Amino acid sequence: SSELTQDPAVSVALGQTVRITCLGDSLRSYYVSWYQQKPGQAPILVIYGKSNRPSGIPDRFSGSTSGNTASLTITGAQAEDEADYYCNSRDSTGDHLIFGGGTKLTVL
Amino acid sequence: QVQLQESGPGLVKPSETLSLTCTVSGGSVNSDDYYWSWIRQPPGKGLEWIGYISYSGNTKYSPSLQNRVTISIDTSRKQFSLSLTSVTAADTAVYYCARDVEYYESGIYSDYFDPWGQGTLVTVPS
């Protein structure tokens, strides 16, 4: 399969925990990376691999993978976490990169 | 730290060729661990990978665009470029350049994009 599937929208109460998921057959073979994008800005990397955070990304962001499903978890969501989140990986051939359709996170 | 900056025309006429350049500063383009990528995002829509090039000139393109896309690299200038032919209004998007980092973890090679350029809007009128 050459697709990664994300829920279009997810909401979370301030300070609560939210999980954003990404489904795809290629995730059985390749790790996913996660990007946060705020309006009018370029995406930034928040998680890659098993659960690696680039410097500057708060430790409330974590990642996990089980089978064909990858998850981005925000533990104690903050108002500034409201954004679009995209997953990315290689397709099943390994030759091309693909993105999920994105999840709009609303912090209530 | 490495920074990327896109440049090129913001308006391209239908059927013409879209050409953009990405300039890399603060680091080298000469590494086997990096692929230099183009990604686009139509207004209000999601991200689409266009393709990438290695410093040695090896390329991979999205199957949906491969008939119209060429990515090239000039390592001496630390620049890589995108050419997209026969554009239509559907090619209107913010175009980003990004560094694709290939890494090895627990027996698996995978990728992530970091850093990204700020993006440049290219409009193709209908």
Side-chain angles (χ1 to χ4, degrees):
Chain A
S1 169
S2 60
E3 292 185 349
L4 296 176
T5 301
Q6 297 182 243
D7 291 327
V10 171
S11 62
V12 61
L14 184 67
Q16 296 303 301
T17 296
V18 62
R19 178 173 294 179
I20 298 170
T21 59
C22 176
L23 281 71
D25 289 342
S26 65
L27 301 186
R28 299 182 187 277
S29 303
Y30 300 99
Y31 285 118
V32 72
S33 53
W34 290 96
Y35 303 87
Q36 177 193 72
Q37 186 180 36
K38 297 182 179 180
Q41 298 182 16
I44 63 169
L45 176 70
V46 293
I47 290 288
Y48 67 96
K50 281 187 174 180
S51 187
N52 303 301
R53 282 178 289 106
S55 61
I57 301 301
D59 61 5
R60 62 178 179 271
F61 289 88
S62 63
S64 62
T65 300
S66 177
N68 70 337
T69 303
S71 300
L72 171 70
T73 300
I74 307 174
T75 303
Q78 301 300 302
E80 60 264 32
D81 299 334
E82 187 164 287
D84 294 327
Y85 290 85
Y86 294 91
C87 61
N88 162 255
S89 186
R90 288 197 173 250
D91 68 4
S92 296
T93 72
D95 286 339
H96 310 110
L97 280 297
I98 51 177
F99 284 94
T103 298
K104 182 177 182 59
L105 175 66
T106 300
V107 179
L108 303 172
Chain B
Q1 77 214 41
V2 174
Q3 293 184 312
L4 283 69
Q5 178 67 59
E6 306 89 351
S7 59
L11 184 66
V12 181
K13 295 179 180 179
S15 79
E16 296 190 344
T17 297
L18 179 159
S19 297
L20 296 174
T21 295
C22 182
T23 301
V24 180
S25 61
S28 174
V29 300
N30 298 331
S31 171
D32 289 332
D33 295 329
Y34 302 149
Y35 298 99
W36 303 96
S37 297
W38 288 97
I39 297 157
R40 71 179 182 179
Q41 184 173 36
K45 296 187 178 181
L47 299 169
E48 179 183 21
W49 176 74
I50 299 171
Y52 66 52
I53 190 167
S54 70
Y55 82 96
S56 59
N58 295 319
T59 55
K60 288 289 185 183
Y61 301 129
S62 167
S64 64
L65 295 170
Q66 63 182 9
N67 291 334
R68 299 194 291 132
V69 172
T70 302
I71 298 175
S72 58
I73 192 166
D74 185 337
T75 56
S76 64
R77 293 188 173 187
K78 295 172 65 175
Q79 293 179 330
F80 61 105
S81 298
L82 170 69
S83 176
L84 182 65
T85 62
S86 305
V87 297
T88 69
D91 295 310
T92 293
V94 175
Y95 285 76
Y96 295 100
C97 58
R99 183 179 66 178
D100 174 354
V101 180
E102 185 180 53
Y103 66 98
Y104 186 76
E105 181 178 16
S106 300
I108 300 172
Y109 281 99
S110 296
D111 308 73
Y112 62 81
F113 294 108
D114 184 65
W116 297 58
Q118 66 183 25
T120 187
L121 174 63
V122 179
T123 301
V124 182
S126 55

